[in-house]
Every structure is written in C-alpha cells, then in structure tokens.
Amino acid sequence: MPAFDAEAIGRGNSRTRPELTDSVWVARGARDLGIVVAHELAHVLMDSGVHDNTPENLMAASTTPQNTQLTAAQCARLTATGQRHGLLRGVD
Ligand SMILES: [Zn+2]
C-alpha cells in the first residue's frame, strides 16, 4: 500500500530520481481522481509541495470534491513557474 494516493515530482523533490521530474503518479483506486490529478499537477506546475488548508482550496492537504479553488497568488505562481519550466506555453 503506498503512503499516499498520489505524488507529484517537481524540480525540488526529484534530485534522487531525475527521470521522474515533472511527473504525477496516482495509485489505482484513488478517490476523487479528477481533484487528485488537478492537485498534483498544480504541485508540479508551481514546483511546490506547499499545502493551503483554507476552505475549498485545491491545494488543501486533503483532496475532496469541495476543494477546487486556487487563489490569485497560486494561479500567478502556477502560470509563471509552469512557463519558466517549459511546461506551459505563454499567452501572447
Ligand atoms: Zn499535495
């Protein structure tokens, strides 16, 4: 049994496993799969393992169907870091 339902591997936590950089892994049977994938992708795009337990925030430690929101600051970081790492295209 894995320790987590899912894991995001960004730049900051891939030193010992560089081949997994910028990837998301989800265990079979994970609940709330869409939310889990969105949460883990946001970790990768922000290159941050930080959680925000503000009610309804997508980046709460616990992924639930109610937790779907990102703050403006989270969106800004996600966009800027994702583009810098070549994971998102810039918008002209
Ligand atoms: Zn997380």
Side-chain angles (χ1 to χ4, degrees), residues 21-71:
T21 300
D22 298 331
S23 66
V24 168
W25 297 80
V26 180
R28 183 169 62 182
R31 288 169 297 154
D32 306 319
L33 184 58
I35 302 294
V36 167
V37 170
H39 175 102
E40 300 301 335
L41 282 173
H43 274 312
V44 167
L45 291 169
M46 290 192 272
D47 193 23
S48 168
V50 170
H51 288 124
D52 179 339
N53 289 319
T54 304
E56 301 188 356
N57 194 282
L58 177 65
M59 300 317 291
S62 173
T63 48
T64 74
Q66 289 73 41
N67 295 346
T68 59
Q69 306 294 309
L70 290 172
T71 66

Side-chain angles (χ1 to χ4, degrees), residues 74-88:
Q74 288 172 319
C75 286
R77 176 171 177 151
L78 185 156
T79 302
T81 305
Q83 288 179 12
R84 191 170 68 248
H85 289 169
L87 302 172
L88 294 175

